[in-house]
Amino acid sequence: MSERSKSGRGTPDAVVIGASAGAIQALLHILPALPQDYALPVLIVVHVPPGRRSELTALFAAKCRLPVAEGEDKEPILPGTVTFAPPDYHMLVETGGTISLSRDEQVFFSRPSIDVLFESAADAYGPALVGVVLTGANEDGAQGLAAVAQAGGVTLVQDPASAYARAMPEAALKACREARRLSLDGIVAALLAAGTR
């Protein structure tokens, strides 16, 4: 983790994204738009059923200019990488800048949970974090995004009107009044502004 996040100046050091129903189409709009020299790590939770192998990394590795992988326990979080939470594990950020995996209880019937990732990342990065809640059909991510805002981070939510499933972005906007409601193009522009140096 850089000195920026410790100093509390708020320059982004990382991006966390959460999505559920409709996630693949939304992420296909966002992730391939990030350039090869993108400066921030991007950590993502997508709700996937337990007991199945996730095809997310293979799908997005073929579409993105950034390296794409599934998170591994104790793995360092590196700039310019895209990391998906593995199926049936919560993915957390530790204060030392590494990933931690957990089999703790499900949150909103989900493991991995968006709230768990966002809350741990807010603790680790403070104001140097960008949190993004996309399409989805439950309330996971709302409390996590509120934690990002309380830590001073940037909070973005897909406009529910353009989401495949609007429940998740609506819950996030309700829990986090300061969040910016954006189209997918607007989210891309915000992420490029945050991580292009």
Side-chain angles (χ1 to χ4, degrees):
M1 192 164 311
S2 79
E3 292 301 316
R4 284 192 308 272
S5 59
K6 295 175 185 172
S7 72
R9 284 185 287 173
T11 303
D13 277 347
V15 176
V16 289
I17 298 176
S20 188
I24 290 176
Q25 287 307 314
L27 290 170
L28 281 173
H29 196 97
I30 294 170
L31 298 179
L34 302 180
Q36 191 170 10
D37 61 349
Y38 195 66
L40 306 179
V42 182
L43 305 168
I44 304 174
V45 164
V46 173
H47 294 155
V48 291
R52 284 192 192 174
R53 180 177 173 174
S54 173
E55 302 296 335
L56 292 170
T57 54
L59 171 66
F60 284 95
K63 303 283 186 185
C64 294
R65 286 170 275 190
L66 300 175
V68 179
E70 223 168 59
E72 296 187 13
D73 199 38
K74 308 306 179 193
E75 177 183 26
I77 297 169
L78 300 175
T81 60
V82 175
T83 305
F84 283 94
D88 212 21
Y89 284 90
H90 294 305
M91 184 168 74
L92 298 89
V93 176
E94 296 187 329
T95 52
T98 57
I99 288 171
S100 174
L101 299 181
S102 150
R103 296 288 301 273
D104 286 346
E105 292 183 19
Q106 296 181 344
V107 177
F108 292 107
F109 309 101
S110 299
R111 188 174 54 218
S113 159
I114 299 165
D115 280 341
V116 170
L117 171 63
F118 280 30
E119 288 169 357
S120 67
D123 287 343
Y125 288 106
L129 180 67
V130 180
V132 184
V133 173
L134 301 174
T135 176
N138 68 19
E139 296 184 4
D140 190 19
Q143 293 308 311
L145 197 70
V148 174
Q150 287 165 7
V154 175
T155 51
L156 310 175
V157 176
Q158 182 180 4
D159 186 341
S162 69
Y164 174 85
R166 57 189 303 152
M168 187 178 290
E170 284 179 342
L173 288 167
K174 184 176 178 183
C176 187
R177 302 280 183 189
E178 55 271 75
R180 294 171 61 196
R181 177 193 305 235
L182 296 172
S183 66
L184 291 177
D185 284 339
I187 290 170
V188 168
L191 294 183
L192 289 175
T196 302
R197 296 177 183 147

